Amino acid sequence: MKIHRCSLAAIIQAGLIITSSAARGQEPAADGYVTRKEYEELKEQMLAMKKELDALKKEKGAVSKQESAESRTVVDVHKEVAPTPGNAESTAQGDMHKEVSSTAAPSLAELEASFSASFNPIFLWELTPKLLFDSRLEIEASGGGTNVNLVNAQISYLLNDYIALGAGEFFSPSNVFVERFEPQWINKLPDRPIGIYHGVLPNISVGVQARGGFPIGPTRVDYAFYVSNGPTLSTFDARTAGTLDFNSYTDNNDDKAVGGRVGFLPIPGVEVGYGFETSRPGFQGTTFSDVRALVQSVDLEITRDSDLLKGRVNLFAQYAWSRVDHAVYDPDGSLGFGPLPLTAKRDGGYAEIAYRPTKVDSDFIKNFEMIFRWDHLSADPSGLGDPSETRFTLGLDYWLSPSTVVKAAYEWDKPNGERNRNALFFQTAMGF
C-alpha cells in the first residue's frame, strides 16, 4: 500500500532527525550551550514531523474503514443472493446467473413526456447442489406510491444432466420471448413486441414443468413441457368476447392447461422452436365449459459474427396463433350484444434484426448497436374491440458494459381506423 510506504518513510525520517538532533546534543557548542537558532530549527522539524505523522494516521484509518465496510458488504450480499461458486449445476436451469436487475425507462410520445423507473431483483438460492429456488420481484413507482409484484417463484430439482423438474410460478415455455428476452437489460428495444401478448400467448404459468436438453450427433434439442392452471375465456363483454385472459392464475374449472416448447439447434448460433398450449378456458357449469382453446407459436433465433460486416448480427422472430372453438356469446341477448356466434381467432408476432460493429478498431463505435423491429397484432376476435395494429421501430443502443445499456428508439404505430401513436423512447437499463 502507498500509505504504508509513506508511513515507513516518515518514521525513518523521524528517526534520522532524532538521531541527528541527539548527535548534535552530544556535541556541545564551544561554550557548552545549544544556541537559540539550533533550538528553534529542531523545534520546527519536530512539529512538522508530528503533523505529517498525524495526517498519515488519519488517512490510513479512513482507508482501512472503507475497505472493511466494502468487504463486509460484498460478503453479506454474496451470502444472501449468490449460488455456491464453482458449482456448474447451480446455473443449469438457464440464463438465471444475474442476481439483481434494475431499469429506468423515460419515454417521450409526441408532446407528452412520461418517465418511469423500476427495480427487478432476482433471488437465487441453492438449497442443495440439486435443489434450487429462483424468484423475481418487480418494484416500480406508480401514482403516489410503489407497486411490488411477484413475477415468478419456482423450486427446481435437477434430476440428471438432461432433466430438471420445477414447480411454482414460472415463465411460460411456450412464449420464448418472455422466457429469454423480456428483461430490459436483454431486450434491445425500450418496449415489448405487441404480437405475443394481449391474449395471444401466456406469459406466466402456475403449475409444474419438466425441461432440459440433449445432443443428437452434432445437433442439439432442448425442451420444456408443463401442466398449469389455464386461461379464462372472456364472455361478458362485447369488445373482448372470445379472447383469453392469461393473467388469472387460478383455474376456473377442473381441466388443466398443457403446453410446452421444443427447440432444435442444427448448427451453433441457430435455433428454431415450436411452442403450444391447449386448455378449456370456459367456466365450469356454463355453456362454455367444453370449449377448447389452442395457442401455437414458432420462433427463430440466429446469431452470426461476420468479418465482411465487421460485427455481429442477431435475428429474432416469433409468430403466434390463438384459436378458441366455436361458441355463441350472449345467446339470450341479456348482455346487450348477442347472440354473437364466433370462432375466436387471433394472431400476432414480431421480427427483429440487430447489428453491432464488434470487429471495428474503435472502442467507442463498437459499443453501438442498431436495431429494427416489425411487430403486428390482429384485431379482437369479435371485431368490436381493439383494431389490428402494425408497428415499425428503429432503435440505437450504446452498451456501457455487457449488461448496461442506453437506448433510444422511434416507433411508427398506426392502428387501423385510429390516430397514430408514434412515439420517441429513451431508456437506461442495467443488470448486475
Side-chain angles (χ1 to χ4, degrees):
M1 292 289 293
K2 182 178 179 181
I3 293 176
H4 296 168
R5 290 197 297 269
C6 291
S7 300
L8 180 60
I11 292 170
I12 294 173
Q13 181 181 359
L16 291 175
I17 293 173
I18 293 171
T19 304
S20 175
S21 302
R24 282 203 303 267
Q26 292 173 359
E27 295 176 5
D31 56 0
Y33 296 95
V34 176
T35 65
R36 184 70 181 181
K37 181 180 180 181
E38 290 175 339
Y39 172 80
E40 292 295 337
E41 288 177 352
L42 179 60
K43 181 179 178 181
E44 289 176 0
Q45 290 173 354
M46 293 296 292
L47 289 174
M49 180 192 69
K50 185 177 184 301
K51 290 180 180 180
E52 184 177 357
L53 286 174
D54 289 342
L56 288 171
K57 286 178 181 179
K58 289 180 181 180
E59 186 178 357
K60 180 180 177 183
V63 171
S64 299
K65 290 180 181 178
Q66 182 180 358
E67 290 176 346
S68 177
E70 291 175 351
S71 176
R72 286 195 302 270
T73 301
V74 170
V75 171
D76 290 345
V77 171
H78 180 78
K79 287 181 179 178
E80 290 175 7
V81 302
T84 303
N87 190 340
E89 291 178 336
S90 66
T91 57
Q93 280 279 161
D95 298 330
M96 294 297 291
H97 57 281
K98 298 292 185 183
E99 288 85 14
V100 183
S101 66
S102 64
T103 64
S107 63
L108 175 67
E110 295 181 347
L111 298 178
E112 297 181 359
S114 176
F115 293 91
S116 63
S118 64
F119 179 65
N120 306 96
I122 297 174
F123 301 96
L124 303 176
W125 187 14
E126 186 184 63
L127 297 155
T128 71
K130 287 184 173 290
L131 189 60
L132 312 174
F133 173 80
D134 66 89
S135 180
R136 175 177 149 189
L137 297 177
E138 183 178 63
I139 306 171
E140 59 181 353
S142 177
T146 301
N147 289 338
V148 180
N149 297 314
L150 177 66
V151 178
N152 78 290
Q154 178 182 217
I155 293 178
S156 302
Y157 181 74
L158 306 182
L159 192 62
N160 54 45
D161 291 341
Y162 309 104
I163 303 176
L165 305 177
E169 184 178 7
F170 48 85
F171 297 104
S172 299
S174 57
N175 193 338
V176 70
F177 178 86
V178 170
E179 192 175 53
R180 297 185 183 181
F181 308 120
E182 188 179 53
Q184 295 291 4
W185 51 275
I186 298 177
N187 184 11
K188 296 181 183 296
L189 288 172
D191 64 345
R192 301 161 179 168
I194 55 176
I196 53 176
Y197 294 90
H198 303 282
V200 180
L201 283 176
N203 302 328
I204 299 292
S205 297
V206 179
V208 295
Q209 67 169 322
R211 63 188 307 134
F214 52 88
I216 303 178
T219 68
R220 181 175 176 82
V221 172
D222 55 56
Y223 67 88
F225 297 104
Y226 63 94
V227 177
S228 69
N229 295 333
T232 298
L233 179 64
S234 177
T235 62
F236 300 105
D237 185 88
R239 295 172 58 87
T240 60
T243 60
L244 299 173
D245 181 8
F246 292 102
N247 294 321
S248 179
Y249 299 143
T250 58
D251 219 338
N252 59 355
N253 53 45
D254 293 335
D255 192 67
K256 293 295 178 230
V258 177
R261 178 186 176 275
V262 177
F264 177 59
L265 293 79
I267 58 176
V270 177
E271 181 176 3
V272 293
Y274 169 76
F276 73 96
E277 181 181 291
T278 179
S279 63
R280 285 203 322 223
F283 282 91
Q284 192 160 329
T286 69
T287 58
F288 303 99
S289 59
D290 292 328
V291 172
R292 184 157 290 277
L294 174 65
V295 298
Q296 302 179 84
S297 170
V298 293
D299 59 83
L300 171 68
E301 179 181 351
I302 300 175
T303 301
R304 276 285 179 267
D305 286 321
S306 171
D307 292 330
L308 179 63
L309 298 176
K310 291 187 176 295
R312 184 176 64 243
V313 178
N314 294 108
L315 173 64
F316 307 115
Q318 185 178 1
Y319 208 85
W321 299 265
S322 170
R323 184 186 187 278
V324 179
D325 289 346
H326 183 83
V328 180
Y329 299 86
D330 189 21
D332 57 5
S334 61
L335 299 176
F337 66 90
L340 178 62
L342 186 63
T343 300
K345 296 180 180 179
R346 204 171 197 197
D347 61 86
Y350 78 98
E352 176 182 297
I353 187 168
Y355 166 72
R356 183 173 174 181
T358 55
K359 296 180 180 290
V360 300
D361 295 331
S362 171
D363 291 335
F364 176 72
I365 294 177
K366 69 172 55 177
N367 290 327
F368 280 101
E369 187 167 21
M370 295 175 287
I371 307 100
F372 175 78
R373 185 186 68 196
W374 165 90
D375 59 333
H376 168 77
L377 178 67
S378 66
D380 281 335
S382 66
L384 303 173
D386 291 336
S388 63
E389 187 174 357
T390 300
R391 308 188 305 186
F392 301 91
T393 307
L394 188 64
L396 181 65
D397 294 352
Y398 189 79
W399 293 90
L400 301 173
S401 76
S403 60
T404 303
V405 59
V406 179
K407 310 176 192 177
Y410 190 82
E411 189 169 82
W412 292 266
D413 184 3
K414 182 65 172 67
N416 288 350
E418 293 190 358
R419 62 189 289 269
N420 74 70
R421 302 175 185 171
N422 298 348
L424 177 64
F425 295 95
F426 297 97
Q427 184 182 71
T428 61
M430 176 185 294
F432 58 92

